[in-house]
Amino acid sequence: MRMTDKEVLVEVKNLSVVFGKGKNKFTAIDDVSFQIFKGETFGIVGESGSGKTTIGRAIMRINEVTEGQILYHGKSIQGKIPKDWDREITQKIQMIFQDPMASAYDRLQSHIAD
Ligand SMILES: Nc1ncnc2c1ncn2[C@@H]1O[C@H](COP(=O)(O)OP(=O)(O)OP(=O)(O)O)[C@@H](O)[C@H]1O
Ligand SMILES: [Mg+2]
């Protein structure tokens, strides 16, 4: 199956997230775009402070989007949106917190086993 045949679940278009104002202004995310397809496991990799969590929080609507768009099933999920759409995406888009002890860091686990 070609990528273009797959259903796009989440689309991030030209996302920028700027924290602070004036001389405290800090651009954490600068023009980031990607698509997440249905059934796909999508990972964001980058050094500490590169903005992975900020992108996740923007999709979760915890961090305000300064510029760009975030779409779920082709519909905007930011800013002022209808109540029923808000309720739907709150149910559909959720955080899954990782249990660090159950994660695949077997070196740590073998240390504990020792
Ligand atoms: N609320 C905030 N106010 C100001 N700056 C922030 C805020 N949240 C994040 N930042 C800054 O934005 C940048 C990106 O941070 P972020 O936490 O998204 O990085 P990360 O890639 O998740 O890093 P790590 O791998 O350490 O988790 C960092 O420079 C961070 O200090
Ligand atoms: Mg992070």
Side-chain angles (χ1 to χ4, degrees):
M1 194 193 264
R2 288 179 300 131
M3 283 299 251
T4 48
D5 294 335
K6 288 205 254 171
E7 191 183 336
V8 177
L9 218 57
V10 176
E11 181 161 20
V12 172
K13 282 166 95 173
N14 307 106
L15 176 69
S16 294
V17 177
V18 179
F19 293 113
K21 283 192 168 81
K23 67 174 169 66
N24 291 322
K25 194 174 132 171
F26 178 75
T27 303
I29 305 298
D30 187 8
D31 198 12
V32 168
S33 301
F34 58 84
Q35 292 178 322
I36 304 173
F37 295 90
K38 189 171 181 175
E40 177 186 38
T41 301
F42 186 90
I44 300 174
V45 180
E47 64 186 62
S48 182
S50 60
K52 305 178 294 291
T53 296
T54 303
I55 292 171
R57 287 169 64 99
I59 295 170
M60 293 304 304
R61 304 184 292 164
I62 298 164
N63 282 341
E64 214 178 296
V65 168
T66 309
E67 261 185 87
Q69 274 183 292
I70 300 173
L71 310 173
Y72 180 69
H73 282 297
K75 279 159 67 183
S76 176
I77 62 165
Q78 322 119 240
K80 234 182 136 39
I81 57 169
K83 219 179 192 160
D84 53 343
W85 181 230
D86 186 296
R87 197 180 307 125
E88 193 178 330
I89 58 180
T90 301
Q91 286 172 353
K92 295 273 170 67
I93 307 175
Q94 294 192 14
M95 294 255 203
I96 299 170
F97 293 99
Q98 183 180 308
D99 171 2
M101 287 306 172
S103 71
Y105 190 24
D106 55 2
R107 200 146 64 123
L108 175 68
Q109 287 176 348
S110 72
H111 272 298
I112 293 165
D114 291 345

